[in-house]
Amino acid sequence: HSQGVTVYRYANRIPLLFEGGNDVVSVVANKSIRWSTYKVKATDKVGVFVSLVSTKIPFKGTSKEYIGDDKGVLHKAISDALKDCCRQLRTKITKRKANREQEDRKKNLIKYIPDVSRALMGMLESMSSVDEAKQDDHEQDRAQHRHKRARTAANGRT
């Protein structure tokens, strides 16, 4: 399978190669588990490995090709185990996605820092030159005002 869920089944450490669709593990993995709940997309490649070890495996058929357990204890046990694994997988997927998004934000920030710093520097320089011009104007006004007072005082003395 290039994508989707691939089920690998083992009974007493022996791989079960035939009748995979009828097997309790395949039924649980393909029909009982809602993979999207665990952030697994239909295009993702997922391998499900289940190994049953017991002296009383409920094989169906005479050739022991698949395990049958129609909604019984085994079905519930496999379902619970897979859901537990899926919860762990969802946690990993969520963390990986958050890390990836944080890295993307960091890259974008680093990418635009030179432009933003140049723009800020230009704004600060223009604000500084405006402030200097205002300060020069203010000093000229004060000088003119002092000069007028001095003339007024000189005129008053004469």
Side-chain angles (χ1 to χ4, degrees), residues 22-120:
N22 298 327
D23 193 271
V24 66
V25 178
S26 298
V27 170
V28 169
N30 292 318
K31 295 180 181 157
S32 297
I33 304 289
R34 288 186 49 208
W35 293 98
S36 60
T37 304
Y38 303 102
K39 304 211 182 274
V40 176
K41 300 176 197 133
T43 57
D44 291 341
K45 194 173 182 179
V46 179
V48 175
F49 292 80
V50 177
S51 178
L52 298 171
V53 180
S54 174
T55 56
K56 299 189 182 203
I57 294 177
F59 288 109
K60 291 286 186 180
T62 55
S63 60
K64 297 183 178 183
E65 292 173 346
Y66 69 99
I67 301 167
D69 185 46
D70 303 323
K71 304 280 183 185
V73 176
L74 200 54
H75 186 279
K76 182 168 177 16
I78 292 169
S79 179
D80 290 346
L82 280 180
K83 286 178 182 177
D84 188 41
C85 290
C86 288
R87 282 188 288 275
Q88 292 175 26
L89 180 62
R90 178 178 54 202
T91 302
K92 275 190 179 278
I93 290 171
T94 304
K95 283 181 183 176
R96 187 173 289 163
K97 183 178 178 185
N99 288 342
R100 196 174 301 130
E101 287 172 354
Q102 185 176 5
E103 285 297 318
D104 289 346
R105 283 193 299 270
K106 187 176 175 182
K107 281 180 190 174
N108 285 335
L109 189 60
I110 289 171
K111 180 177 166 184
Y112 293 111
I113 282 177
D115 296 334
V116 171
S117 61
R118 273 193 293 277
L120 281 172

